[in-house]
Amino acid sequence: SERFRIYAVDAIGASGKSIPGPSYGKSFNQTQWINELLDTGKQVLYMLPEIALTTQLIGRLQQYFAKRVAVFHSKYSTNERVEVWNNVLHQKPKAQIVIGARSTLFLPFQNLGLVIVDEEHDTSYKQEDGVLYSARDMAVMRASFSAAKPSISASQISAKTYSSTSCATKAAGGRVISGACARSVRLNRL
């Protein structure tokens, strides 16, 4: 059966010491990875547990990627959300990177190359009313169905992710992105 990798990225440098600054290591390395994928025409889904965390991230990504960043959020007007939906569907340059919370999973990505789940340990990723689901787990599935790379990241990787990865995977073909410790594990494609 086909296999794919989950990249678990943390802010631990190659020396084993934390990289200074809030999420500096993760953000820097993710920015480089996003840039590589955008050069191939792929789309990027960047999930955050709460949209309140997006202000600083949006600023950083817009500074680096200019007008290729779109935000999908329930507090935006219906017209604004429909515009982002259509831009994603038609692969418009202004929606190559889409930032949002759980609802971004359901956007009609046509050429998804990377799904980032930031702060994956946060309980906000769990839908606890209506249809129950874990957005973190669904993001991994969405990446699998789209043949995209899933990147699970946090300042502290959750026990669930850590237990399915190994620090020794570097020797087994794990990807090291610009000096950050990136652990990968192969899982069966569902």
Side-chain angles (χ1 to χ4, degrees):
S1 72
E2 291 185 47
R3 301 201 179 258
F4 72 106
R5 294 176 193 234
I6 295 177
Y7 294 94
V9 180
D10 61 21
I12 304 298
S15 66
K17 296 180 181 175
S18 293
I19 296 171
S23 301
Y24 170 77
K26 293 185 310 170
S27 298
F28 177 77
N29 293 310
Q30 287 171 341
T31 300
Q32 289 186 335
W33 204 1
I34 290 169
N35 201 39
E36 290 173 19
L37 283 163
L38 293 181
D39 288 344
T40 67
K42 298 282 187 183
Q43 296 169 303
V44 176
L45 165 56
Y46 200 123
M47 287 179 51
L48 294 168
E50 296 180 34
I51 205 67
L53 301 174
T54 61
T55 306
Q56 185 179 14
L57 177 67
I58 291 167
R60 269 189 268 160
L61 290 177
Q62 284 178 333
Q63 182 179 10
Y64 193 84
F65 294 110
K67 297 182 187 247
R68 296 192 279 182
V69 179
V71 179
F72 192 76
H73 185 267
S74 61
K75 291 187 179 180
Y76 284 5
S77 71
T78 301
N79 288 342
E80 290 170 312
R81 286 181 287 161
V82 168
E83 181 180 357
V84 171
W85 178 280
N86 284 324
N87 288 337
V88 169
L89 177 65
H90 300 294
Q91 300 181 58
K92 301 282 183 172
K94 60 184 168 183
Q96 275 190 285
I97 303 167
V98 180
I99 301 170
R102 294 184 307 238
S103 60
T104 57
L105 282 169
F106 305 106
L107 290 172
F109 290 96
Q110 301 298 304
N111 194 16
L112 193 58
L114 177 63
V115 177
I116 296 172
V117 181
D118 201 12
E119 300 304 330
E120 59 103 11
H121 61 279
D122 196 293
T123 58
S124 299
Y125 282 123
K126 294 190 177 184
Q127 175 75 25
E128 297 181 347
D129 58 342
V131 176
L132 306 178
Y133 68 93
S134 165
R136 178 246 185 245
D137 294 345
M138 285 190 65
V140 171
M141 293 299 302
R142 177 70 194 261
S144 172
F145 295 151
S146 301
K149 295 174 181 168
S151 174
I152 308 298
S153 66
S155 53
Q156 295 181 343
I157 298 297
S158 73
K160 179 178 184 176
T161 299
Y162 188 80
S163 68
S164 64
T165 62
S166 166
C167 286
T169 18
K170 281 191 201 176
R175 177 176 174 162
V176 178
I177 308 167
S178 302
C181 172
R183 300 180 201 108
S184 65
V185 64
R186 292 176 190 229
L187 300 175
N188 288 327
R189 184 182 285 262
L190 299 174

